[in-house]
Amino acid sequence: DVQLQASGGGLVQPGGSLRLSCVASGLPLDEYAAGWFRQAPGKEREGVSCISGTSGDTYYADSVKGRFTISKDNAKNTLYLQMNSLKTEDTAVYYCATMHRDGYDSGGYYCEWTDLGSRGRGTLVTVSS
């Protein structure tokens, strides 16, 4: 039984930082791709970032590139998302998930966000002054 438990959300001012964590059980993150997506009220789900299980290659949405960093600790089977220079438009519920499909195209490494595996309960990030 695969379980993902996300935490670390909260209220932060614009320009601030947060680090999200996602503890996985029942599935080794050193074998499967995993990532973060977010859902804001009235907006479509957006794939934020993902990381390959084996190579460690990463993908970032253009909206977060240069500000967010995804990483994982295989020994702890935990996925992280370091979020810096937060903007009000980053406000959303953030979810961690495993990927059924990932690969490479002309743009580099990518994850298939329409074919997610297990996902955890979200953690709310609110960026507001």
Side-chain angles (χ1 to χ4, degrees), residues 20-60:
L20 306 183
S21 300
C22 176
V23 180
S25 60
L27 182 146
L29 292 181
D30 60 355
E31 294 184 16
Y32 292 88
W36 298 88
F37 67 93
R38 64 189 180 186
Q39 183 83 57
K43 295 186 178 180
E44 292 187 357
R45 185 175 71 185
E46 178 185 19
V48 173
S49 181
C50 62
I51 186 167
S52 167
T54 54
S55 69
D57 288 336
T58 57
Y59 160 85
Y60 295 96

Side-chain angles (χ1 to χ4, degrees), residues 53-96:
T54 54
S55 69
D57 288 336
T58 57
Y59 160 85
Y60 295 96
D62 287 342
S63 58
V64 306
K65 203 171 291 184
R67 301 188 296 122
F68 290 11
T69 303
I70 192 170
S71 62
K72 58 179 179 171
D73 184 330
N74 290 332
K76 296 181 179 179
N77 216 36
T78 300
L79 182 72
Y80 301 100
L81 185 69
Q82 177 67 44
M83 306 185 295
N84 298 330
S85 302
L86 283 161
K87 304 176 181 180
T88 55
E89 52 262 45
D90 294 319
T91 295
V93 179
Y94 286 70
Y95 301 85
C96 57

Side-chain angles (χ1 to χ4, degrees), residues 6-11 17-22 36 81 83 123-125:
S7 62
L11 173 64
S17 299
L18 280 175
R19 189 176 82 153
L20 306 183
S21 300
C22 176
W36 298 88
L81 185 69
M83 306 185 295
T123 184
L124 175 63
V125 172

